[in-house]
Amino acid sequence: MKLPVAILAGGLATRLRPITETIPKALVEVAGEPFILRQLRYLRDQRVRRVVLCVGYLGERVREVVGDGSACGLSVSYSQDWPKLLGTGGALKQAIPLLDSQFLVLYGDSFLPIDFAAVEEGFLRCSKPALMTVQRNENQWDKSNVLFADDVIVEYNKRAPTPDMKHIDYGLGGLSADILTADSGDEAFDLADVYHRLSLTGQLAGFEVQERFYEIGSHKGLAEAADYFRGEGKS
């Protein structure tokens, strides 16, 4: 793969307390191993070469475990937004010097069993500044928040989803750095709001996937992810 991957791993993970009172979410054990190590090895297997970890609360603990990424077969660098929280968008903006003019981004609590290279190719060919992977979930795994019709994202709205939205943000996107640097301010902002604005102006490409995602953002999700890695959730 050509593009670096940014992983948003700086959240406080309040839904996973008390587990995350002393460790960051990235280091929560899933089927006996810190989640971030599973995620990084999977990216290596997807032929990703370079990763930027956007860390926050207890980010130094992640550095201690992951190091430079060589043990996982990757080159890993870090961008930390603690103690000042920048939001997911602000964290990515701060990390841009470590990335390229275009990059992929995923959330640090998600495991996405899809072909990343196909998503990268779709992004590089779409002629739009951003791409979002979507899945038709009809509120099954989480609240649907994407109106996706005729292979076009008509609207993405995480904050105020509408009943006609049947798809969900799957958790892997492609971004051009300039859409984040256009705002010269230093206020915290969320990637979800950037995606929302882009969708309303026809600048957000869509890439539909079929496989369900796994996440460790909640105790229920953590249990399901553990079953998946033990082989109990695989078909």
Side-chain angles (χ1 to χ4, degrees):
M1 289 181 60
K2 302 175 183 177
L3 301 181
V5 174
I7 300 180
L8 292 165
L12 294 175
T14 56
R15 290 188 298 162
L16 278 182
R17 288 178 179 171
I19 300 173
T20 50
E21 287 179 352
T22 56
I23 60 170
K25 182 162 52 174
L27 297 184
V28 169
E29 288 203 354
V30 183
E33 186 174 26
F35 184 71
I36 188 63
L37 297 182
R38 292 186 177 277
Q39 198 174 41
L40 290 174
R41 284 203 311 273
Y42 182 66
L43 291 179
R44 175 203 63 199
D45 293 344
Q46 295 268 356
R47 301 183 301 281
V48 172
R49 297 189 297 269
R50 187 156 53 98
V51 170
V52 176
L53 277 172
C54 298
V55 296
Y57 176 63
L58 298 177
E60 66 280 358
R61 298 282 302 276
V62 180
R63 290 175 185 255
E64 292 170 2
V65 171
V66 175
D68 64 1
S70 57
C72 296
L74 296 163
S75 172
V76 175
S77 53
Y78 298 85
S79 178
Q80 184 154 350
D81 67 344
W82 183 263
K84 181 181 179 181
L85 295 177
L86 302 174
T88 51
L92 283 175
K93 180 179 178 180
Q94 179 177 263
I96 283 174
L98 302 172
L99 295 161
D100 294 344
S101 60
Q102 293 177 301
F103 56 92
L104 299 182
V105 58
L106 72 150
Y107 296 99
D109 60 1
S110 298
F111 189 84
L112 312 175
I114 59 170
D115 182 0
F116 279 46
V119 176
E120 178 187 73
E121 181 181 3
F123 174 48
L124 294 175
R125 294 177 57 183
C126 75
S127 72
K128 295 182 186 294
L131 177 143
M132 173 186 285
T133 52
V134 299
Q135 179 196 22
R136 188 179 180 93
N137 79 315
E138 301 191 38
N139 297 321
Q140 183 176 5
W141 310 119
D142 205 338
K143 184 70 174 176
S144 296
N145 50 31
V146 180
L147 180 57
F148 185 71
D150 299 323
D151 294 325
V152 173
I153 292 182
V154 180
E155 182 182 1
Y156 163 75
N157 197 329
K158 180 180 179 179
R159 302 189 187 281
T162 57
D164 57 348
M165 292 179 172
K166 306 300 182 186
H167 287 71
I168 193 171
D169 171 12
Y170 187 74
L172 176 64
L175 287 175
S176 298
D178 55 9
I179 67 173
L180 298 173
T181 56
D183 179 8
S184 59
D186 59 357
E187 295 299 315
F189 65 99
D190 287 334
L191 179 59
D193 295 323
V194 175
Y195 280 148
H196 175 60
R197 291 195 298 270
L198 291 171
S199 73
L200 295 180
T201 55
Q203 298 183 80
L204 182 60
F207 187 102
E208 187 171 19
V209 301
Q210 306 301 322
E211 297 81 356
R212 70 155 292 186
F213 60 86
Y214 294 87
E215 52 81 23
I216 64 162
S218 65
H219 289 280
K220 179 176 182 292
L222 180 60
E224 290 178 347
D227 286 345
Y228 173 79
F229 287 118
R230 293 190 190 104
E232 299 167 22
K234 298 178 182 180
S235 58

